[in-house]
Amino acid sequence: MSSHTSHTSHPPRYRGRLAPSPTGYLHLGHARTFWIAQQRAQAAGGSLVLRNEDLDFARCKPEFVTAMFEDLRWFGFEWQEGPDCGGPFAPYNQSERRLVYESALQKLRDTGLIYPCTCSRKDILAAAAAPHETEAEPIYPGTCRPNSHVSTPTSRPFSWRFRVPDGETISFVDGNFGPQQFVAGKDFGDFIVWRQDDAPAYQLAVVADDAAMQITEVVRGADLLLSTARQILLYRALGLTPPAFYHCALMTDTTGTRLAKRHDSLSLRTLQNQGHLPTTLRQGWCSA
Ligand code: GLU
């Protein structure tokens, strides 16, 4: 695509991504966020990466991967790099990128900012004095947080947890919602970067991949605003520059409940089977 702008400096070429998790069928809410991602990439004359976020081995299923490709193509998505078409930053399946995550974990260990944690979800729920109702994950009460920066793994199964700088305000300017501020230790606590079942956690994998794939703007749902704040801390700890962020308002159903993969009636599959057309479904979606 040719560029007719008068800019003579060399900002990095726009690289966006679609990062679905094959844990269920994609629904209209995913499609809307992805559509905005695609429009922003196209408007910038950039490219779009499809990354298959299949790290949750218990919930990801091969039939959802197949369906994901079919549904995205049916809806009108086009990506320039991905598991199906390859590209300079292959592989594009997270399950094949373990080395990238191990190296990020090692770097975090070297900084002393992560520590082994043997707490289960249940322990944390029990210890949290006042679990935040809006946050799915309660603030980690600090049970395993070491007093010194040096800590050694125990023989019990453990995860690696990132120590957040308590009281520090993490700020960023969102491309859609404007200035955002979250206080570490208050809005979110120490978070897991490597799971007890020896798999990288979402926060670490997504940062390592967005950096490795040279993504310049992350477009995602507004439910991930707090995760973005966590990820900004990971970029800093890893000595990486964060991309720009653009969060999209979440789509809700007629009762005001946010769409989830359990809303089968609004899955792209069902809508297609009912004879809906993508162009009609997209009517009223303002362009990004
Ligand atoms: N796979 C994640 C999801 O589907 C990606 C979120 C993101 O970082 O954009 O929620």
Side-chain angles (χ1 to χ4, degrees), residues 161-279:
R161 202 175 271 280
F162 184 87
R163 170 197 284 263
V164 303
D166 286 335
E168 188 185 323
T169 301
I170 312 303
S171 326
F172 62 96
V173 179
D174 184 70
N176 188 24
F177 293 123
Q180 301 294 309
Q181 291 198 333
F182 297 100
V183 179
K186 181 170 159 280
D187 294 322
F188 63 94
D190 293 359
F191 58 89
I192 290 179
V193 294
W194 202 272
R195 298 181 340 215
Q196 226 170 63
D197 62 356
D198 194 28
Y202 158 71
Q203 309 290 357
L204 176 84
V206 85
V207 165
D209 282 346
D210 284 334
M213 295 178 182
Q214 298 180 12
I215 300 303
T216 61
E217 183 178 75
V218 166
V219 176
R220 54 165 60 130
D223 55 327
L224 290 171
L225 276 163
L226 265 181
S227 282
T228 295
R230 295 180 179 104
Q231 289 166 27
I232 285 171
L233 289 175
L234 288 185
Y235 280 102
R236 185 165 84 190
L238 292 165
L240 299 165
T241 309
F245 295 99
Y246 187 104
H247 291 78
C248 307
L250 296 178
M251 199 176 240
T252 50
D253 66 14
T254 45
T255 68
T257 309
R258 165 184 146 198
L259 294 198
K261 284 184 177 143
R262 60 183 177 276
H263 279 79
D264 273 346
S265 58
L266 288 171
S267 77
L268 298 183
R269 284 269 95 185
T270 307
L271 293 167
Q272 180 183 14
N273 290 336
Q274 288 170 346
H276 291 275
L277 293 175
T279 44

Side-chain angles (χ1 to χ4, degrees), residues 14 23 26 54 127 150 169 243 246 252 256:
Y14 185 105
T23 53
L26 295 177
D54 58 349
V150 188
T169 301
Y246 187 104
T252 50

Side-chain angles (χ1 to χ4, degrees), residues 4-275:
H4 298 287
T5 62
S6 57
H7 297 292
T8 46
S9 59
H10 301 284
R13 198 161 171 269
Y14 185 105
R15 288 176 57 81
R17 46 51 153 207
L18 309 178
S21 301
T23 53
Y25 294 120
L26 295 177
H27 57 63
L28 204 52
H30 297 115
R32 199 176 69 143
T33 300
F34 292 164
W35 197 252
I36 294 170
Q38 174 159 299
Q39 283 190 317
R40 290 185 64 78
Q42 285 173 351
S47 50
L48 200 57
V49 172
L50 175 65
R51 189 170 66 227
N52 172 21
E53 304 221 318
D54 58 349
L55 282 177
D56 188 343
F57 306 116
R59 290 168 65 220
C60 293
K61 301 219 162 68
E63 63 259 39
F64 293 139
V65 179
T66 314
M68 180 171 97
F69 283 104
E70 287 171 6
D71 295 348
L72 288 173
R73 281 204 198 90
W74 169 72
F75 202 80
F77 289 104
E78 286 171 22
W79 49 93
Q80 288 69 51
E81 298 167 33
D84 54 335
C85 53
F89 301 99
Y92 293 92
N93 293 314
Q94 285 196 322
S95 55
E96 295 171 48
R97 298 178 57 80
R98 192 175 166 98
L99 286 179
V100 176
Y101 312 134
E102 281 177 350
S103 128
L105 179 72
Q106 188 54 51
K107 286 203 187 98
L108 290 177
R109 286 187 68 174
D110 294 343
T111 66
L113 286 170
I114 59 173
Y115 59 89
C117 172
T118 53
C119 295
S120 66
R121 241 186 135 70
K122 229 167 111 191
D123 294 337
I124 298 167
L125 282 172
H132 280 214
E133 280 177 21
T134 46
E135 239 309 57
E137 203 176 321
I139 304 275
Y140 182 63
T143 322
C144 293
R145 202 191 233 213
N147 293 322
S148 82
H149 277 265
V150 188
S151 58
T152 37
T154 69
S155 54
R156 285 173 59 191
F158 63 91
S159 53
W160 285 102
R161 202 175 271 280
F162 184 87
R163 170 197 284 263
V164 303
D166 286 335
E168 188 185 323
T169 301
I170 312 303
S171 326
F172 62 96
V173 179
D174 184 70
N176 188 24
F177 293 123
Q180 301 294 309
Q181 291 198 333
F182 297 100
V183 179
K186 181 170 159 280
D187 294 322
F188 63 94
D190 293 359
F191 58 89
I192 290 179
V193 294
W194 202 272
R195 298 181 340 215
Q196 226 170 63
D197 62 356
D198 194 28
Y202 158 71
Q203 309 290 357
L204 176 84
V206 85
V207 165
D209 282 346
D210 284 334
M213 295 178 182
Q214 298 180 12
I215 300 303
T216 61
E217 183 178 75
V218 166
V219 176
R220 54 165 60 130
D223 55 327
L224 290 171
L225 276 163
L226 265 181
S227 282
T228 295
R230 295 180 179 104
Q231 289 166 27
I232 285 171
L233 289 175
L234 288 185
Y235 280 102
R236 185 165 84 190
L238 292 165
L240 299 165
T241 309
F245 295 99
Y246 187 104
H247 291 78
C248 307
L250 296 178
M251 199 176 240
T252 50
D253 66 14
T254 45
T255 68
T257 309
R258 165 184 146 198
L259 294 198
K261 284 184 177 143
R262 60 183 177 276
H263 279 79
D264 273 346
S265 58
L266 288 171
S267 77
L268 298 183
R269 284 269 95 185
T270 307
L271 293 167
Q272 180 183 14
N273 290 336
Q274 288 170 346

